[in-house]
Every structure is written in C-alpha cells, then in structure tokens.
Amino acid sequence: MTPRMSTVGGYNYQWSLFVDWCAAADVDALPALPITLAEFLAENPAGDAVQLRRVSAINRTHRDAGLPAPGQVTSIRIALDSARSNRTIRRAEQYQAIAAALLTSGSTAALFGRRDAVLLLLTAAGLSYRAIAALDRTDISADGDSVWIGGRHRIHIAPNDATDFVPASIWHRWHTVLQFSERYPSTKLLAEHLQRNTFPDIAALPHRPGPVAVPIDQWGHMPLPATAMTAAEVGAVIARHLTGVSPLHTPRRPIIRPSDGTDRSDPIAAPEPISTDLDSGYYRAGVEARRRAHTALADVPDMVDDVEDRIEQLLERTLQLLDSSDSGGRT
C-alpha cells in the first residue's frame, strides 16, 4: 500500500468516526461548525498527532465538498472571538437592565442607586474593577445620549434601544451628586434633594478631578474629601446586584417641611411640591420585589455562563492544538 493510499484510508476512517459521533450528538457533520469539531476532539481524547489527523480529515472532506473547513486556525479564532463577543453583549445587557431599574430619587437608596448604576455601566463596558476604582471623573464625558471614557481607555458607550438604556442620563445623575456634594458638603441637604429630585442646575460648574467610584456608608454619608473605592469594594457592589441583594443602607427619616411650604434648609433652590404621597414601605417593597425576581432567575445566568465557559475552553484548546503544530495552519 502506497503512502498516499494509506493517508486516504486514514482520512476515511477519521471522517467516519466523526460522522458517527455527529449522528449520536444530533449535529451536522457536513457542514460542521468549529465548535462541533472542538466538542468532537474533546469527547474523543487522543494524542496530538491523532487529533491533528482527525482535523485534517474533516477539513479535507469539507474542501472536497466546496465548503469552508471548520478546523482552520482562522475559523477557530473567529468562532472563539464570536463566543466571547456574544458573552460580552449578553452581560452588558444584563448589567444595563439592573442599572436601569435602580432608584434615582425618593430615599437614601437613590444615592446608592445613582452610584451603582454608573458602576454597572462601566463594568458592562468592559472595564475591570481595578480600572473603575482608578477612574477619574474628568475622564468621562457625555455626548448626546452616549458616554465617552477617555484617558487610556477610549471607550464609547452607546444607548441601547432594546433596553431603553441611556448611558448619558445614568452618568449625569451620579455626576450631579458628586458636584453637589463637593460644593455643598451636607448629607442632610443631599438627602433632601434626592428625596425630591430637585437638584439645582450646576452644569456650569467646573469639572474638577476626583474619583468616580466613591464609598457610601449605610446612612448615606460619603467621605469628604472624596476618596476612591477599592477594586474589591467595586466588585462586591456588582456581585450584590447580580444576586439581587441591595447594598446595606439605613433609610433616613422622612423630611418634614414647614407648614408654610418654605424650604429654610435649602438656600439655592426653591421647593417643589411632591405630587404623590408614597407609603413609607413603598421603596422597600420595590427592592424586595426585584430581589425575589433576581433570586428566581439567579441560576439562569450561571447556567448560560457555564455553557459559554465550556465553549470557550473547547475552542481555546483546539486552537492551541493547531497552533502547536506547523501543520495546523495547513490542515
């Protein structure tokens, strides 16, 4: 038997093995996806030489049929990049949905809500917890509904019509708190404006440097001067929201206004009437409802993450196999 006949026979055997496995797994053998090839190699362990012969046989059959070879390095790289891109998009939408549901006015929880929405926004954009902890507010600017993160990051965060997510609004709400607290360092005054959502227009104030991620204690106090959260603290906040557990805070007592309607505690903004009287347990009930919803669905993201982790690992392992051999690029 000539070497060529031996090679053809070996290819036929490897291809038959692949076809049988695809039939058992209920997936297409021709054309096959790169992830199908990766799963086949993972479930049929062998030495590198044997695995490379299998890849060559599968690629050869596809080329003979005029189809793209699933085992080319480029095909595997594209599939791996696509898997990672899909995960990034899904996680971004998950973080955006959580951020959009957070309180922005009405209680102490709104202070946490404004800050945490920005932390979720930045995490969704791909920044690490360490990068968020080190981020300066002068690095962030709004352009229409979008947000730009400058400095060394150069990231554009666009609105998401599917989730009604407007990054500029989320940043503006937290930036207003930062600017207001810097100019009027009074926790009580800040709480009053949060309750009524009646911050004065301070857009004309100079944008001074300072941390974006600022710690808040359970009573709603922020450090003066502002100090940055640690990467671990940023990660803890994100983790709480992903599991539906709100950051610990103690609600302040309702602010009682004088009977004549004059706001004697606020020298810079006229009072506005509150259009609706809400029960004192309204916000807590809302938080509890979101927590129950997150708890009920908590396993779903984990299950998706497990599947995506496995796909990435299989593709990465196959890519390493092909890259480890000079024949990988020619299979």
Side-chain angles (χ1 to χ4, degrees), residues 256-265 271:
I256 301 175
R257 297 290 171 198
S259 58
D260 61 1
T262 301
D263 184 0
R264 299 186 177 90
S265 64

Side-chain angles (χ1 to χ4, degrees), residues 34-54:
I35 184 56
T36 301
L37 171 62
E39 289 177 334
F40 165 71
L41 297 178
E43 294 189 13
N44 295 273
D48 287 357
V50 173
Q51 296 289 50
L52 287 170
R53 281 200 298 273
R54 291 172 175 173

Side-chain angles (χ1 to χ4, degrees), residues 82-205:
S82 177
R84 289 170 175 169
S85 177
N86 289 338
R87 168 183 291 215
T88 299
I89 293 172
R90 183 185 63 79
R91 284 184 172 175
E93 291 182 346
Q94 179 187 7
Y95 293 148
Q96 291 172 1
I98 296 172
L102 296 179
L103 294 174
T104 59
S105 63
S107 72
T108 307
L111 182 60
F112 289 88
R114 291 186 179 215
R115 181 202 63 183
D116 295 359
V118 170
L119 299 185
L120 288 160
L121 170 74
L122 297 173
T123 304
L127 270 70
S128 67
Y129 300 148
R130 185 182 299 276
I132 294 172
L135 196 63
D136 191 273
R137 70 186 73 164
T138 58
D139 291 331
I140 302 181
S141 60
D143 181 11
D145 290 338
S146 300
V147 162
W148 286 91
I149 306 174
R152 62 186 180 86
H153 299 292
R154 300 185 180 277
I155 296 174
H156 174 239
I157 309 177
N160 189 331
D161 294 335
T163 58
D164 294 327
F165 187 74
V166 183
S169 296
I170 286 180
W171 169 241
H172 174 71
R173 283 192 286 262
W174 177 236
H175 191 227
T176 296
V177 169
L178 293 175
Q179 286 186 295
F180 183 88
S181 299
E182 185 178 76
R183 187 174 181 86
Y184 307 102
S186 168
T187 300
K188 179 180 179 181
L189 192 59
L190 175 61
E192 292 177 1
H193 283 285
L194 280 169
Q195 179 170 318
R196 295 176 289 122
N197 193 24
T198 54
F199 286 95
D201 184 7
I202 52 181
L205 294 179

